[in-house]
């Protein structure tokens, strides 16, 4: 007798979930250390499916970077833009950055761009441009907010928006470096008010 029961449909492939899984593998093991077996196991697909969906390992890596920049790396900016008072906005940016690098649940700590991707710039074609674009986009958003605050009279007219935006990004990467060394959120938060004031202090 032929069974008339309908077979369950196979689980639909979720590209975004697969990319997040790939990010975690690259983050933990680095580009060279991440094997195809590591990637397919984490992503829940087999080798032929990975090649069909993403191409080779390099193409997957570049797409994973783009996914991280689009979805993950904006959290401190979201906190920065959501706070109406500029002093609190800078503090919120730093607090979110610390939480993001030191409070992550997976084993890799620090920032994916700073602790993994930056090490492959110049070695894998396309990585350097993605990093440059991510830095420029972040600094543009921060500097744009500072410019609005100057127009509103909340910052002095001579406030160096672009330079302080770069400082904020550099401080964020410093937090990622400390997280990679195993410092806790509490330890990294010591002196946070002072660092925020460095950003907003009068230009020299």
């Amino acid at each position: 007798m032929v069974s008339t029961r309908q077979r369950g449909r196979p689980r639909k492939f979720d590209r975004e979930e697969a990319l997040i899984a790939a990010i975690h593998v690259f983050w933990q093991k680095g580009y060279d250390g991440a094997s195809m077996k590591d990637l397919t196991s984490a992503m829940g697909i087999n080798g032929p499916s990975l090649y069909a969906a993403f191409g080779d390992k390099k193409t997957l890596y570049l797409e994973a970077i783009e996914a991280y920049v689009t979805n993950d790396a904006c959290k401190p900016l979201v906190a920065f833009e959501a706070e109406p008072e500029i002093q609190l906005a800078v503090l919120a940016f730093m607090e979110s950055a610390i939480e993001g690098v030191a409070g992550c649940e997976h084993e890799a700590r620090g920032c994916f761009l700073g602790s993994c991707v930056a090490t492959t710039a110049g070695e894998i074609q396309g990585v350097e441009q993605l990093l440059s674009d991510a830095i420029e986009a972040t600094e543009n958003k921060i500097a744009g907010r500072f410019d609005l605050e100057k127009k509103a009279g909340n910052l002095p007219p001579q406030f160096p928006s672009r330079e302080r935006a770069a400082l904020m990004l550099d401080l964020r990467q410093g937090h990622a470096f400390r997280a990679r060394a195993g410092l806790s959120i509490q330890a990294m938060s010591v002196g946070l008010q002072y660092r925020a004031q460095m950003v907003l202090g009068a230009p020299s």
Side-chain angles (χ1 to χ4, degrees), residues 9 18 29 36 55 59 62 69-70 83-84 95 102 176 180 184 190 203:
R9 292 182 178 180
K29 300 195 173 185
M36 294 303 292
T59 305
L62 294 176
V69 170
T70 301
E83 177 54 59
E95 288 174 341
R180 197 73 176 177
S184 67
V190 174

Side-chain angles (χ1 to χ4, degrees), residues 75-99:
K75 290 178 182 177
L77 278 177
V78 170
F80 177 69
E81 293 172 343
E83 177 54 59
E85 294 185 26
I86 189 59
Q87 291 82 1
L88 296 179
V90 172
L91 194 60
F93 177 94
M94 294 185 180
E95 288 174 341
S96 177
I98 290 174
E99 176 64 30

Side-chain angles (χ1 to χ4, degrees), residues 8-94:
R9 292 182 178 180
R11 184 175 180 271
K12 184 178 179 181
F13 173 69
D14 189 313
R15 190 180 190 87
E16 184 175 347
E17 287 184 3
L19 281 171
I20 291 172
I23 287 169
H24 288 177
V25 173
F26 286 128
W27 200 336
Q28 293 170 10
K29 300 195 173 185
Y31 178 79
D32 290 332
S35 68
M36 294 303 292
K37 182 178 179 181
D38 294 329
L39 291 164
T40 54
S41 176
M43 296 166 72
I45 57 178
N46 57 31
S49 295
L50 187 151
Y51 285 112
F54 299 100
D56 57 13
K57 179 181 172 182
K58 172 190 169 184
T59 305
L60 171 62
Y61 183 57
L62 294 176
E63 190 167 340
I65 296 170
E66 291 179 329
Y68 177 82
V69 170
T70 301
N71 300 320
D72 240 15
C74 66
K75 290 178 182 177
L77 278 177
V78 170
F80 177 69
E81 293 172 343
E83 177 54 59
E85 294 185 26
I86 189 59
Q87 291 82 1
L88 296 179
V90 172
L91 194 60
F93 177 94
M94 294 185 180

